[in-house]
Amino acid sequence: MGPDEGSVTVFLADERGEHSGEPPIDASRWIALAERVLAEEGVRGEAALWVLVVDETTMAQLNQQFMGASGPTDVLAFPIDFADAARLEPGRAPDGGGEGPSRPERSPDDVPLMLGDVVICPAVAARNAPEHAGSVDDELALLLVHGILHLLGYDHAADEERETMQARERELLERFHGGLGRDPWGP
C-alpha cells in the first residue's frame, strides 16, 4: 500500500530500438492491464511500476547478470527491496548535499511506493506462445501478470506457492484479459 493520496502509475518503455524488426508494443493496452492487476491486488496510493520491453541480447545480459543463467528468458521481475527503500532519503544523492535550501523537510510517507521493474522479451514470448499460452498477446499478458505477482511477493519455488501463484494468474487473466488460448499450467 502506498500513501493514501495519489495514484498508481505504470510506465512502459520499449527499449528494443526502432530497427529491431519486431512489431511495436501497444503500450496503452499493457499499461491498462498492469493497472487493473495492481488495483485488484490492493495496491493503492502513490505507487509506481516500470515495464521494460527489451530485445534478446539485452534479456540474455540481464538473465546472466542477475539470474546466473545463459541465454534470453521471457520475463524477469526486479522488486524494490522494501527494507532498503525505507532507508532511502529523497534529496541530492550523488553529492550528499541534502535537499537544497528552499525545500521543505520531507517525510518517508511522501515518497511513492516503488514496486520495481518487470522486463519482458517479446521475441522469446513469440517463440514460446504456440506451445504455452496460445497467441503472442496471451503470452505477453501472462508474462506481465506473472512479473507483477513476483513484485508483490508471489513465488513458485515450492509446489504450494506455485499452485497459489498459478491460480491467481488464472483469475487475473480471465478477469482482465479474457483468458488464454492454451493452458500454460497444464501437464
Side-chain angles (χ1 to χ4, degrees), residues 12 14 16-18 20-27 30 53 122 136-137 140:
L12 187 144
D14 189 343
R16 297 175 297 168
E18 295 176 18
S20 71
E22 295 182 57
I25 293 293
D26 181 355
W30 302 116
V53 178
V136 174
D137 281 350
L140 290 172

Side-chain angles (χ1 to χ4, degrees), residues 32-101:
L33 176 60
E35 289 171 343
R36 289 180 187 118
V37 168
L38 291 169
E40 186 70 15
E41 286 296 303
V43 177
R44 304 276 187 277
E46 193 72 25
L49 163 74
W50 284 262
V51 179
L52 302 171
V53 178
V54 300
D55 60 29
E56 289 184 86
T57 301
T58 302
M59 186 59 100
Q61 291 168 345
L62 293 170
N63 200 24
Q64 178 64 48
Q65 181 178 354
F66 293 101
M67 303 304 291
S70 61
T73 189
D74 49 9
V75 64
L76 291 170
F78 298 100
I80 299 293
D81 183 341
F82 294 111
D84 289 341
R87 290 193 301 261
L88 296 177
E89 293 183 24
R92 294 176 5 203
D95 66 3
E99 295 186 33

Side-chain angles (χ1 to χ4, degrees), residues 97-182:
E99 295 186 33
S102 63
R103 290 180 130 177
E105 191 170 316
R106 296 176 76 184
S107 158
D109 291 338
D110 294 337
V111 179
L113 173 64
M114 304 297 177
L115 298 170
D117 302 333
V118 174
V119 183
I120 297 174
C121 183
V124 175
R127 274 198 308 278
N128 293 345
E131 298 300 318
H132 197 240
S135 71
V136 174
D137 281 350
D138 288 345
E139 190 74 14
L140 290 172
L142 172 60
L143 296 175
L144 181 58
V145 170
H146 185 85
I148 291 169
L149 290 179
H150 271 306
L151 295 182
L152 298 177
Y154 287 79
D155 203 357
H156 48 78
D159 288 344
E160 186 176 313
E161 291 174 331
R162 183 174 53 256
E163 290 170 12
T164 300
M165 187 170 185
Q166 289 175 350
R168 191 62 180 147
E169 287 171 343
R170 277 188 188 96
E171 292 169 18
L172 293 166
L173 287 163
E174 186 63 39
R175 183 161 183 197
F176 301 119
H177 177 71
L180 303 175
R182 292 179 47 92

